Amino acid sequence: MTGGARGIGAAIAARLGREGARVVVFDIDGKAGEERVEMLRAEGVDALFVQGDVAREADVVRCVNAAVEAFGRLDVLVNNAGIGFSGRPIFEQMLEEWERVIAVNLTGPYLFAKHAAKVMAERGGGVIVNIASTRVLQSEPNTEPYSASKGGLLALTHALAVSLAPYRIRVVAVSPGWIDTSEWQLPPRKPQLTHLDHEQHPAGRVGRPEDVAALVAFLASDEAGFITGVNFVIDGGMTVKMLYLDEAVIESAVATFTGDSELAGLLRRALASGDPGRVKEALRRALGT
Ligand SMILES: NC(=O)c1ccc[n+]([C@@H]2O[C@H](COP(=O)([O-])OP(=O)(O)OC[C@H]3O[C@@H](n4cnc5c(N)ncnc54)[C@H](O)[C@@H]3O)[C@@H](O)[C@H]2O)c1
């Protein structure tokens, strides 16, 4: 479980552990990793922490060896460790930052897959789950390194699925949308979400690490034995939602910010009418002018 100290990775580690897996948490943050493993052990999970950087091959090899030494086998690899990007505009982006994002989000999963699959192959099979992102399908401005790294991870997934099929190793990708990880940070935090954050999702809420963990648990199980090489989007419907003006969200936003639900309805109906005069009048009222 790479990046298992906190966030989505910690939730996946806890879920797989509850289902009986012995878990190796690998993370660059030694303190957080030790703390997470203590928490897993307190829940009765047989867990081990290995500190390291997914982008360093020596660390990856050390982790795979530690897993085999401690537990005698390796059945599931979850490539979850990932980093975001500063969001610098394209003309100001630094090569060093591009290289680090690609190293952690793409080279790391490649190295882990290569070394873990060798052990899996010797023992008759296994499963590799790569945590990508809905950014493989859509972008906000100024996210080139992150989106490209996750797009590469998707291609790596199908390449590995084909190469490793003869060894009975399945390889799948999971692409989460907006997942609020606050409750899985160290220390845990309270989610700071508004109802607008939830409402813009067709599923009616922002995702939780537990949602991703449940999907990973299924994909890692024998029940998913006919699934390999593909990507699963888990985003509460955000990727398939057409981006027209969402009147319901606008109404809700106006009600939230003005505290006036009657005015919110007025503005929504004005927008729906397409009549600029009515929209202007509603806005005038909203601004109190
Ligand atoms: N949270 C979201 O909304 C979301 C959405 C889509 C995809 N994802 C992906 O899910 C994965 C987990 O995201 P999260 O939100 O839980 O992140 P997070 O920052 O909460 O946790 C990431 C963990 O990975 C570890 N890590 C970072 N770099 C590492 C490295 N080089 N080597 C080893 N460990 C390293 C961190 O120390 C941390 O414990 C990432 O790959 C991320 O891109 C997250």
Side-chain angles (χ1 to χ4, degrees), residues 23 49 70 80 98 126 188 207 266-267 274:
V23 180
F49 176 59
N80 161 84
W98 164 274
L266 189 74
L267 185 59

Side-chain angles (χ1 to χ4, degrees), residues 3 5-9 26-29 52-54 80-83 100 104 131-133 146 150 176-179 181 185:
R6 62 168 73 78
I8 295 171
F26 179 88
D27 206 286
I28 201 165
D29 185 335
D53 181 345
V54 290
N80 161 84
I83 54 173
R100 181 63 184 157
V104 174
I131 306 298
S133 166
Y146 185 81
K150 295 297 188 177
W178 182 353
I179 308 295
T181 62
Q185 295 302 325

Side-chain angles (χ1 to χ4, degrees), residues 178-226:
W178 182 353
I179 308 295
D180 178 59
T181 62
S182 37
E183 288 175 355
W184 289 87
Q185 295 302 325
L186 292 169
R189 297 193 300 261
K190 274 202 161 29
Q192 302 275 315
L193 299 167
T194 70
H195 68 96
L196 290 175
D197 299 330
H198 294 297
E199 270 171 28
Q200 61 188 288
H201 287 75
R205 66 172 174 84
V206 170
R208 306 181 191 111
E210 291 88 340
D211 295 320
V212 182
L215 177 58
V216 172
F218 167 69
L219 291 171
S221 76
D222 289 343
E223 275 188 297
F226 197 52

Side-chain angles (χ1 to χ4, degrees), residues 241-263:
K241 186 173 155 184
M242 296 285 276
L243 271 183
Y244 295 118
L245 266 187
D246 190 324
E247 290 157 11
V249 171
I250 290 170
E251 178 171 345
S252 194
V254 174
T256 300
F257 297 124
T258 65
D260 184 341
S261 53
E262 196 194 321
L263 175 63

